[in-house]
């Protein structure tokens, strides 16, 4: 992924970068280390462009973000999807080549479908959730939202795999 511009949902810890989870409660939270998926993106050569808007604590529709709603770039009156709304909107608007979302009940698949993109909700345990402020640990899954299946496959290849920091991941 050398040189590929990526962005991540604001529930993924990023060392020395504000991580709010879409809430003013965390408006001053700056993690000391990256979430495993962010570290893996960086190790694979991806360039982190920034953090993306989301519904507050990944619960509900995009209107619930403390920082205003994300907008669907194809029609500003339509929703870009559920909690990973910023990931879908930014990728569709070509602000990044690919992005990461977190899916508990459709938050990768919804924004991908609403914005004309490819989203992959990997099998649970395929991608580490370490450093991600999730909604439900037993169902949360991290995955890519991309413009093409090839970009989606490249992104999942960069973030998947065993992580000793997440005992539920697999080889």
């Amino acid at each position: 992924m050398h040189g590929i511009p990526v962005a991540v949902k604001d529930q993924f810890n990023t060392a020395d970068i504000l991580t709010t989870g879409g809430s003013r409660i965390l408006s001053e939270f700056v993690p000391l280390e990256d979430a495993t998926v962010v570290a893996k993106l960086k190790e694979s050569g991806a360039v982190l462009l920034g953090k993306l808007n989301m519904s507050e604590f990944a619960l509900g529709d995009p209107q619930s973000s403390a920082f205003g709603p994300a907008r669907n770039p194809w029609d500003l009156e339509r929703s870009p999807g559920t909690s990973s709304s910023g990931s879908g909107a930014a990728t569709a608007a070509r602000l990044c080549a690919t992005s990461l979302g977190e899916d508990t009940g459709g938050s990768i698949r919804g924004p991908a479908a609403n914005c004309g993109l490819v989203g992959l909700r990997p099998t649970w345990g395929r991608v580490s959730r370490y450093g991600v402020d999730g909604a439900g640990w037993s169902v949360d899954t991290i995955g890519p939202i991309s413009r093409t299946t090839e970009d989606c496959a490249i992104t999942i290849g960069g973030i998947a795999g065993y992580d000793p920091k997440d005992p539920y991941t697999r080889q």
Side-chain angles (χ1 to χ4, degrees), residues 3-59:
I4 303 294
V6 300
V8 299
K9 188 175 178 180
D10 195 24
Q11 77 186 109
F12 300 144
N13 286 353
T14 44
D16 303 320
I17 300 173
L18 189 65
T19 300
T20 70
S23 177
R24 296 212 188 277
I25 292 170
L26 297 175
S27 64
E28 297 181 20
F29 176 59
V30 179
L32 298 176
E33 68 177 323
D34 288 330
T36 297
V37 290
V38 173
K40 284 187 167 200
L41 285 172
K42 290 177 178 178
E43 288 167 13
S44 69
V47 177
L48 180 63
L49 295 178
K51 309 291 283 286
L52 301 168
N53 199 7
M54 58 181 282
S55 62
E56 190 167 21
F57 296 120
L59 301 169

Side-chain angles (χ1 to χ4, degrees), residues 45-137:
V47 177
L48 180 63
L49 295 178
K51 309 291 283 286
L52 301 168
N53 199 7
M54 58 181 282
S55 62
E56 190 167 21
F57 296 120
L59 301 169
D61 66 41
Q63 307 307 314
S64 69
S65 174
F67 305 104
R71 303 279 184 201
N72 188 317
W74 302 113
D75 182 344
L76 299 180
E77 300 302 314
R78 294 183 183 268
S79 171
T82 51
S83 76
S84 299
S85 55
S87 298
T91 305
R94 297 183 179 267
L95 299 176
C96 55
T98 190
S99 63
L100 295 185
E102 178 273 326
D103 193 314
T104 303
S107 298
I108 290 172
R109 297 161 286 165
N114 285 8
C115 294
L117 301 168
V118 178
L120 176 64
R121 182 189 197 283
T123 302
W124 191 81
R126 182 78 175 119
V127 177
S128 175
R129 293 163 303 125
Y130 180 79
V132 178
D133 184 20
W137 73 269

Side-chain angles (χ1 to χ4, degrees), residues 1 37 40-41 44 98 100 120 122 126-127 142-144 146 149-162:
M1 293 189 67
V37 290
K40 284 187 167 200
L41 285 172
S44 69
T98 190
L100 295 185
L120 176 64
R126 182 78 175 119
V127 177
I142 313 310
S146 308
T149 54
E150 182 178 17
D151 289 349
C152 200
I154 291 168
T155 305
I156 195 71
I159 63 172
Y162 175 72

